[in-house]
Amino acid sequence: MGLLSLPPVALLATAAWFGRLVRPGGDDWCFLPQVADGGLSGIVEKFYFVDNGRVSNAVLVWSYARFGVAGQQWFGLFSGVLVLALLWAFFATVLPRAGMRVPRGAPFLAASMVTVLFLLGSPNTYKTFYWPAASVSHTLPPVLACAAAIPVLRATSRRGKILALLTVFVTGLVLGTLSEETSVVAVVALVGALLLSIRVVPQARRRFLRLCCAAGITGTSIGCLILFTSPGAQHRRERHYTVSALAPDTLLASLRGFAHIVITCLTTWQYLGAVAVGLLLGLLARGPRYGLTSVKNQVLCAGVGAGVLLVSGYLCTVITYPAFGPTVATSTRLWNDYLLLYFLFLVFLGTLFARAWRHRVRRTGPAVTAGAGMCALVCLSLAVSLTTLETDMAVRAGKWDHQDSRLRGGAAAGAQVLPYERMPLREMTEPFGAGGRIVWPADCVADYYGLERVTHAPRRP
């Protein structure tokens, strides 16, 4: 199992190394001067009263933006390690609780493969992984929600159960003020867990699980209420929301957009890596019995899981449509709020396929080889795409550093107005978009360099 973990771990390490090429863009132009001028209290106040109301989001932005450009470059490494560590702890907890006696390295294999798919398997890896502003809003929140299940599953004593309830409540409160979309996914998932508890969860732990679900829903609801009623959220709705989320046309357009997302996810062959690792978990599990012992429970879990994915994914599309419009179907960073749940669901399906295989065929060698081969093939495919991205990042980093030196030199010489050349990468927002008609965030660029304003400079051939 240790050897099988090498490809995804090597891929993650390579991706982290490429993070040195990250340079500010999009919202980063505004975050950096905000943090430099006001610190933590300043950016929290700005988020709550002006930008979007996401207080926890502001804290995470401060945690990396306080280090300037270096914070952007090291973010990929720290976020990648954090995601891998939390998912490793998650699988190490879930598998034994599900009755699966797997080899020692199996939880790490599952965690590393899911981490690779989640961070690097997006159609736009730069935005979902390397761009900190998107990652703290859509990539890290579902991982934090997933990690909240660890103390719940491990709790056995009275003190442990109290700690688990407190953890779930606080996590929900943080999610509510961090990401509206992940909050929706979390609440729908908790409702699904409540439904499953009727049949799947043993009587002895049923009451405790229901209390945890109630604590999570309560904490998330309070956090969302704080966010929704904040001046910043109201200001954001006035600036960016052009339609009502509950209007019939919006609901229909959201359904069409979500259908496009579903088709894209179902036809992305790299996501079979999650099924493959689930297959390996099921085939390598020891003992005559493992996992859910009832076929009805298996079908019930699969059905509820699919329902949670569809309902939460559509609701996420609905609440983001007023701000993004039709591009909600192509803004891949928004998918991460429920994509992690999708990968975990695929892993679960893989274990069910493995169980069916073991019931019908005694020899598991061919299936194990196929599963390991699929994991390696997925990693190879993602490595090729990552290499292409690295080339584009290197080109932008060189241009950015040159322009950064020029703008700093001009500002030091007393200039108040200097030209800015756009350097878009993977649809990142840059000043003077749409041929110079969209100015944002040119004012933030000027603030960052201490200029009065920057002007649109035509791109050099």
Side-chain angles (χ1 to χ4, degrees):
M1 299 299 287
L3 291 177
L4 293 178
S5 301
L6 288 179
V9 171
L11 187 56
L12 287 171
T14 303
W17 171 246
F18 290 165
R20 75 193 192 283
L21 301 173
V22 173
R23 298 296 187 275
D27 292 351
D28 302 326
W29 284 121
C30 295
F31 294 159
L32 291 173
Q34 287 176 8
V35 172
D37 294 340
L40 176 60
S41 60
I43 195 168
V44 168
E45 181 180 359
K46 184 77 160 44
F47 269 53
Y48 182 77
F49 288 101
V50 180
D51 289 346
N52 49 38
R54 301 171 184 164
V55 177
S56 298
N57 197 307
V59 175
L60 290 179
V61 168
W62 170 84
S63 68
Y64 71 83
R66 62 194 292 255
F67 299 106
V69 177
Q72 308 270 328
Q73 297 169 334
W74 284 96
F75 181 85
L77 174 61
F78 282 102
S79 63
V81 170
L82 178 62
V83 171
L84 178 59
L86 291 179
L87 289 181
W88 185 7
F90 175 79
F91 279 106
T93 302
V94 169
L95 294 178
R97 298 305 184 277
M100 297 183 66
R101 295 171 53 203
V102 295
R104 182 173 298 179
F108 184 72
L109 169 63
S112 59
M113 197 64 208
V114 171
T115 301
V116 162
L117 291 173
F118 187 53
L119 297 182
L120 309 179
S122 168
N124 193 336
T125 300
Y126 190 83
K127 275 196 171 183
T128 57
F129 175 51
Y130 288 110
W131 187 30
S135 183
V136 300
S137 298
H138 305 287
T139 304
L140 292 182
V143 180
L144 298 177
C146 189
I150 297 174
V152 175
L153 294 173
R154 289 186 176 275
T156 55
S157 64
R158 176 181 173 84
R159 180 177 299 178
K161 291 180 179 181
I162 293 175
L163 178 62
L165 286 169
L166 183 61
T167 300
V168 171
F169 177 80
V170 173
T171 301
L173 191 63
V174 170
L175 289 178
T177 56
L178 175 61
S179 171
E180 300 96 315
E181 294 80 20
T182 301
S183 298
V184 168
V185 177
V187 170
V188 175
L190 289 172
V191 172
L194 284 173
L195 295 176
L196 284 176
S197 68
I198 301 174
R199 288 287 303 274
V200 177
V201 180
Q203 182 72 32
R205 289 186 63 86
R206 192 174 298 170
R207 180 175 179 273
F208 171 62
L209 175 63
R210 291 175 177 176
L211 286 175
C212 289
C213 291
I217 293 173
T218 302
T220 306
S221 301
I222 294 174
C224 288
L225 183 63
I226 293 174
L227 189 154
F228 185 79
T229 58
S230 67
Q234 182 178 353
H235 188 210
R236 184 171 184 262
R237 291 192 293 269
E238 293 173 351
R239 285 182 301 171
H240 300 295
Y241 285 28
T242 57
V243 295
S244 171
L246 300 179
D249 291 343
T250 302
L251 296 175
L252 184 59
S254 299
L255 183 60
R256 289 194 296 265
F258 183 60
H260 171 81
I261 296 171
V262 170
I263 293 173
T264 301
C265 291
L266 292 177
T267 55
T268 302
W269 71 268
Q270 288 92 342
Y271 293 171
L272 289 176
V275 180
V277 79
L279 184 68
L280 291 174
L281 291 176
L283 293 175
L284 297 174
R286 297 185 295 269
R289 299 173 65 184
Y290 63 94
L292 299 170
T293 57
S294 169
V295 176
K296 290 183 178 180
N297 284 349
Q298 296 173 19
V299 175
L300 180 61
C301 288
V304 172
V308 167
L309 278 170
L310 292 174
V311 171
S312 61
Y314 175 63
L315 290 178
C316 286
T317 308
V318 169
I319 64 176
T320 52
Y321 190 90
F324 287 83
T327 62
V328 72
T330 55
S331 298
T332 55
R333 68 184 185 276
L334 302 177
W335 305 1
N336 272 23
D337 293 288
Y338 47 87
L339 206 55
L340 178 61
L341 187 61
Y342 177 56
F343 292 144
L344 297 178
F345 179 69
L346 292 181
V347 172
F348 172 68
L349 291 183
T351 63
L352 298 186
F353 292 154
R355 181 167 188 173
W357 178 278
R358 292 180 64 169
H359 277 304
R360 294 175 180 271
V361 182
R362 290 187 177 183
R363 293 183 58 192
T364 60
V368 170
T369 302
M374 175 56 70
C375 290
L377 183 61
V378 168
C379 290
L380 179 62
S381 171
L382 296 179
V384 172
S385 63
L386 187 63
T387 301
T388 304
L389 175 60
E390 186 267 347
T391 301
D392 296 339
M393 290 168 63
V395 172
R396 183 179 187 269
K399 291 182 177 181
W400 194 95
D401 290 342
H402 176 76
Q403 178 160 257
D404 178 67
S405 178
R406 177 177 61 81
L407 292 174
R408 289 186 183 278
Q416 292 298 310
V417 180
L418 290 173
Y420 178 88
E421 179 185 342
R422 298 183 70 248
M423 292 169 288
L425 174 64
R426 296 298 194 271
E427 301 177 0
M428 282 288 296
T429 304
E430 279 283 297
F432 309 110
R437 294 189 300 274
I438 299 178
V439 178
W440 188 91
D443 292 340
C444 298
V445 175
D447 291 340
Y448 180 72
Y449 289 105
L451 301 171
E452 182 178 328
R453 64 187 178 94
V454 293
T455 59
H456 181 212
R459 294 187 65 184
R460 292 172 292 179

